[in-house]
Amino acid sequence: MAKRSARPFSVTDLPGFATIAIMAFVALYVPILTLVAYSFNGATSVAVWGGFSLQWYVAAWDNTVVQAAAMRSLGIAACASVLATTVATMAALGTTRTAPFRGQTAIYVAINQPLMVPEIVTAVALLIFFAAIKVATGYTGLAYLVMAHTAFCIPFAYLPIRARLEGMDLSLETAAADLYASRWRTFRYVTLPLLAPGIAAGAMLAFVISLDDVVITEFVKSAGQDTLPTYMLGQMRRAITPETNAISTALLALTVLLLTAFFLLTRKRD
Amino acid sequence: MSEAATAAVAVEGRNLVKAFGQGNAAVRALDDVSVTIAKGEFFTLLGPSGCGKTTLLRLIAGFESPTSGAILLDGRDITALPPNRRPVNTVFQSYALFPHLTVAQNVAFGLQMLGKPKAEVAATVDRMLALVKLEAFAARRTSQLSGGQQQRVALARALAPAPQVLLLDEPLSALDLKLRKEMQTELKRLQTETGITFVFVTHDQEEALTMSDRVAVMSAGQILQTGSPRQIYTRPANRFVASFIGETNFLTARISGGAAHLAGGVIALPAGTADTASATLAIRPEHLRLAPPGTPGALPATVAHSVYFGTDSHLHLRLADGAELVARQQTSADGAAGPEPGTEVGVLIAEGAVQVLQE
């Protein structure tokens, strides 16, 4: 006991710490593991195990509606993440590589608006706003979804890029200018290469955020523009089949892959 | 540096003022500084932190623009030019090496930005790496190098475009003592070999004295004295220079008839010294000699205490009027201890060692 009291206070020493930790992890992972397990179910039920099978993956793969929704999801995520990352990079440069100016905090808040305004409010607002434009122009294509996704992806791309810019040694840019690089060449040959991991991380995060969006997509999409998540939501309303589990598992795998890449890119290196 | 007066001018600063902040809160980092640096000279800006030496360097590099005044390079006014259009390169205190480039790519950077042909860039990079003895490290990342090696890459990178002037901002301060000594020699060698004008910023008086052709001593945004290391050490213009460069004893005395009158005696001064009721005398500790008490011409003093430094000892002496003096005594060959505290001694001052300071 004397030995124990000599140690500095640690929250892990508190009674019940292990129990709570295990409960938290159970709550986090058991549902997902169940979903993954039942995606390999040989039976039609999502509750009764009928042996290992890949039939639901095959079914999902062969389902042309799923194929179309998946391609749409990936297409929108690709466009939205590229656009959002470009805007976020410029915004990050504009908010870190300038002398402090009045209203800087206001601009920071404005850029991160999608993190604060409830998504359902934005969704309803976009529904009304885009409906008016759709009527006026007659255009009902995917551009609305791309624009909406770009908007809410910007803060997710902005934050890692800004963090990287703020951590960058400013004397490197001074050194480039000293070595005859114009402002553009300083950006091109020094700032941008050093910023690249932040930009890649921001793009990946934006891609993942776009990929799994339901609320705004559900409100903004026109007929026949289901993305993978909205398609799955529609399926769940009718009948729950392990096919949905299979699609979810595939989506999960992709997300985990991208987020792993994100963490590898943003972790501190010596 | 007697040639400096007649040699061509590399850099000239005219009435430079740099104020930071606005209105009454404004701080003058540089307060009407004029300076002339000759071509091929190793010129050092020496002063304590906050004296404006780095600001002056940054003005020459173009990283800051002066509030007023002008900067001329080779007779051309470059005050309005951005840093990338000035034929001047900088060695940064933090080195500022590009972490995403190799050693060779770092050295090539300036040449590439100047649009030099590939073959010329490659040849110059090889020559520069040879100059700083880093040929074997060309393909390495800068993060894989030691502090001293990074320092040499920074030097090679700044020298590669053959600038008219090389600016060095406390480049040795991050190195340990032994490496710093080596780099001092190295820097002096590079300067001699390349013939490029070096403007070196430091707060280390030893660095300034050992490497420079001329030194400008700065304090509170002004240049107090410019001269050869020998001039500023032996003939400091004022009390600040005398105390900042090396150690100095200050005595207050009345000057009349070409001699300084102290409580305990009289010290002869150079002929023509003007009479004053109260003047400050500066005397270096190494110019004081101990003699038996009562020796003619010696000031009577008492040993207060002594501090042993190895090669020499500092003897703290108290004169009759209570003024304190420090005398430096070389350790004798037999290593015998100096006089005990409380011992009565006489202090002899070497001829010509007394500098009368203008206040």
Side-chain angles (χ1 to χ4, degrees):
Chain A
M1 271 301 126
K3 208 172 185 181
R4 182 166 194 159
S5 63
R7 278 211 329 232
F9 172 77
S10 163
V11 76
T12 57
D13 294 338
L14 291 177
F17 177 83
T19 318
I20 293 171
I22 289 166
M23 280 167 61
F25 281 115
V26 165
L28 276 174
Y29 290 101
V30 168
I32 292 177
L33 291 174
T34 312
L35 172 125
V36 172
Y38 274 91
S39 72
F40 298 105
N41 195 355
T44 325
S45 166
V46 290
V48 182
W49 183 250
F52 181 84
S53 162
L54 288 173
Q55 59 168 311
W56 299 111
Y57 286 91
V58 176
W61 185 260
D62 287 341
N63 186 335
T64 52
V65 183
V66 172
Q67 284 171 12
M71 289 318 291
R72 207 172 285 123
S73 272
L74 292 174
I76 292 170
C79 292
S81 57
V82 167
L83 287 173
T85 309
T86 309
V87 173
T89 304
M90 293 194 284
L93 285 167
T95 49
T96 54
R97 290 297 187 269
T98 49
F101 55 91
R102 272 175 76 96
Q104 207 165 8
T105 314
I107 284 175
Y108 183 75
V109 172
I111 291 167
N112 292 306
Q113 174 263 25
L115 295 178
M116 286 166 278
V117 175
E119 203 181 350
I120 189 73
V121 174
T122 311
V124 172
L126 286 176
L127 172 71
I128 298 167
F129 181 65
F130 284 153
I133 299 177
K134 280 176 191 176
V135 169
T137 62
Y139 173 74
T140 55
L142 283 175
Y144 297 107
L145 279 174
V146 170
M147 278 192 283
H149 279 227
T150 301
F152 69 72
C153 283
I154 286 172
F156 294 96
Y158 172 77
L159 293 173
I161 296 172
R162 183 190 161 102
R164 183 122 188 136
L165 269 176
E166 281 181 335
M168 203 184 288
D169 182 1
L170 278 179
S171 67
L172 296 176
E173 288 168 21
T174 311
D178 186 62
L179 292 161
Y180 313 107
S182 61
R183 292 182 79 152
W184 162 248
R185 290 175 130 201
T186 299
F187 176 73
R188 169 67 188 80
Y189 294 110
V190 175
T191 315
L192 194 59
L194 291 171
L195 196 55
I199 292 175
M204 250 167 251
L205 204 55
F207 190 88
V208 169
I209 296 291
S210 165
L211 204 58
D212 82 353
D213 179 71
V214 174
V215 179
I216 288 177
T217 312
E218 187 68 31
F219 278 72
V220 169
K221 74 183 168 70
S222 302
Q225 292 186 344
D226 264 322
T227 62
L228 216 41
T230 62
Y231 166 78
M232 286 156 69
L233 184 67
Q235 287 300 104
M236 302 295 275
R237 288 203 186 109
R238 273 176 265 145
I240 308 173
T241 73
E243 189 185 315
T244 316
N245 289 21
I247 300 169
S248 302
T249 305
L251 208 52
L252 178 70
L254 180 63
T255 309
V256 167
L257 202 71
L258 287 172
L259 289 181
T260 308
F262 170 81
F263 282 115
L264 288 178
L265 284 170
T266 49
R267 75 174 167 179
K268 294 243 184 299
R269 268 169 294 189
D270 297 296
Chain B
M1 182 100 196
S2 54
E3 309 99 295
T6 49
V9 173
V11 183
E12 190 184 347
R14 281 188 192 158
N15 305 102
L16 289 167
V17 174
K18 178 65 185 177
F20 291 104
Q22 297 288 317
N24 288 333
V27 177
R28 284 194 162 197
L30 281 183
D31 194 2
D32 196 15
V33 166
S34 293
V35 64
T36 305
I37 301 165
K39 268 189 188 162
E41 186 174 34
F42 196 123
F43 190 88
T44 297
L45 298 169
L46 172 68
S49 58
C51 71
K53 57 191 191 297
T54 296
T55 305
L56 181 52
L57 198 79
R58 291 178 65 85
L59 285 182
I60 301 172
F63 306 143
E64 315 261 4
S65 21
T67 309
S68 66
I71 299 157
L72 284 78
L73 193 76
D74 203 10
R76 188 167 63 109
D77 189 333
I78 57 158
T79 318
L81 287 186
N84 57 309
R85 294 182 51 205
R86 299 186 182 197
V88 166
N89 290 130
T90 308
V91 177
F92 293 86
Q93 187 170 14
S94 62
Y95 313 148
L97 299 177
F98 304 125
H100 59 298
L101 302 179
T102 63
V103 168
Q105 287 169 333
N106 263 280
V107 177
F109 192 90
L111 296 162
Q112 285 166 342
M113 292 299 124
L114 284 172
K116 300 278 185 216
K118 261 193 177 146
E120 188 189 328
V121 172
T124 311
V125 168
D126 286 347
R127 199 156 44 77
M128 286 301 141
L129 289 178
L131 192 67
V132 296
K133 300 175 186 129
L134 280 177
E135 301 99 316
F137 296 88
R140 294 269 188 105
R141 291 267 157 173
T142 56
S143 57
Q144 295 168 303
L145 303 182
S146 70
Q149 289 165 337
Q150 292 187 14
Q151 169 68 81
R152 299 217 295 275
V153 177
L155 266 169
R157 185 180 69 173
L159 285 170
Q164 288 182 24
V165 178
L166 187 75
L167 307 173
L168 303 105
D169 185 10
E170 307 221 20
L172 308 182
S173 60
L175 303 178
D176 62 47
L177 186 67
K178 189 167 174 288
L179 211 50
R180 197 154 67 222
K181 298 267 184 204
E182 280 175 31
M183 283 307 295
Q184 285 178 13
T185 320
E186 187 86 354
L187 273 178
K188 189 68 198 166
R189 175 182 71 85
L190 286 173
Q191 199 260 334
T192 317
E193 278 181 27
T194 58
I196 291 173
T197 311
F198 276 34
V199 181
F200 185 87
V201 160
T202 185
H203 64 270
D204 185 325
Q205 44 138 330
E206 191 195 303
E207 264 174 31
L209 295 180
T210 51
M211 292 191 285
S212 321
D213 293 318
R214 282 197 308 151
V215 179
V217 184
M218 294 187 70
S219 172
Q222 290 180 321
I223 293 180
L224 300 180
Q225 186 178 5
T226 308
S228 69
R230 206 168 285 278
Q231 281 168 346
I232 61 161
Y233 186 81
T234 56
R235 292 287 172 257
N238 57 38
R239 192 176 181 124
F240 179 86
V241 176
S243 61
F244 192 74
I245 318 285
E247 284 170 70
T248 308
N249 293 301
F250 295 107
L251 290 176
T252 310
R254 178 174 58 85
I255 296 175
S256 69
H261 298 265
L262 291 114
V266 175
I267 309 170
L269 294 175
T273 308
D275 289 3
T276 350
S278 176
T280 300
L281 311 180
I283 309 156
R284 298 286 182 191
E286 64 268 30
H287 296 146
L288 297 178
R289 288 279 167 279
L290 292 195
T295 307
L299 298 172
T302 317
V303 177
H305 63 277
S306 75
V307 184
Y308 178 67
F309 283 93
T311 54
D312 50 23
S313 304
H314 285 187
L315 281 175
H316 292 251
L317 309 168
R318 191 167 292 119
L319 295 182
D321 60 353
E324 285 226 22
L325 277 181
V326 177
R328 181 177 294 170
Q329 276 210 313
Q330 258 192 331
T331 305
S332 59
D334 59 3
E340 293 290 317
T343 313
E344 300 282 330
V345 292
V347 183
L348 286 170
I349 299 170
E351 205 172 320
V354 179
Q355 174 80 356
V356 181
L357 299 177
Q358 286 100 44
E359 292 300 310

